[in-house]
Amino acid sequence: MYKRYQVLLNDWLADMIKTIANKYDISFSEVIRVSLCIIYGESLKLAFPKCKYGITQKDKLEVVKKNRKELGVASEELHNFFSKVYFETRKTIECWQAEHEKELKRIEKKAAQ
């Protein structure tokens, strides 16, 4: 399910990811995966309004607010949030892929005419 890739990061970005990983007791890779999912989900939602992304600002703010109040986020709650992020991002990416395929077919059809 997972593939291994090598990614070069600036020191400041790697430091930020390490800090988050240590604070929430999650892996460096998990921080990167969740971050990418949120970024792609939000971006695709904006670029392709047909593709819905089920993670709301409210969802994200709840996690941030609990962190700011230094109550911490229960590990189970955090992992439930991550699961929701992964699920919603996958749905959004699948929608985008379908829209992309349609666009390619339209382009090929125009080129053939």
Side-chain angles (χ1 to χ4, degrees):
M1 179 171 199
Y2 293 122
K3 291 184 180 179
R4 183 178 298 265
Y5 293 95
Q6 183 175 352
V7 179
L8 300 176
L9 301 171
N10 299 77
D11 289 341
W12 56 268
L13 185 55
D15 290 343
M16 174 69 174
I17 294 168
K18 283 179 195 173
T19 300
I20 293 169
N22 290 335
K23 182 172 187 156
Y24 292 104
D25 192 28
I26 55 178
S27 71
F28 190 89
S29 296
E30 187 91 45
V31 176
I32 293 172
R33 275 192 299 274
V34 169
S35 300
L36 286 171
C37 284
I38 291 171
I39 291 165
Y40 279 119
E42 291 291 333
S43 298
L44 290 172
K45 177 180 74 172
L46 293 173
F48 297 88
K50 286 184 182 179
C51 300
K52 306 294 181 207
Y53 182 58
I55 302 297
T56 64
Q57 282 297 108
K58 184 179 177 184
D59 295 333
K60 292 183 278 185
L61 284 174
E62 283 180 24
V63 173
V64 171
K65 280 182 184 178
K66 288 180 182 179
N67 179 43
R68 279 191 185 157
K69 291 180 183 176
E70 297 195 24
L71 297 174
V73 177
S75 181
E76 185 177 334
E77 184 179 354
L78 189 61
H79 287 287
N80 288 340
F81 175 71
F82 289 173
S83 292
K84 183 177 180 182
V85 168
Y86 296 144
F87 176 77
E88 292 296 331
T89 304
R90 185 174 181 168
K91 280 189 345 185
T92 305
I93 288 174
E94 287 170 352
C95 173
W96 168 78
Q97 287 170 327
E99 291 297 312
H100 183 68
E101 291 286 324
K102 288 178 192 175
E103 184 64 26
L104 288 177
K105 287 179 183 178
R106 277 182 272 198
I107 291 170
E108 287 173 3
K109 190 176 180 180
K110 276 187 179 181
Q113 292 176 347

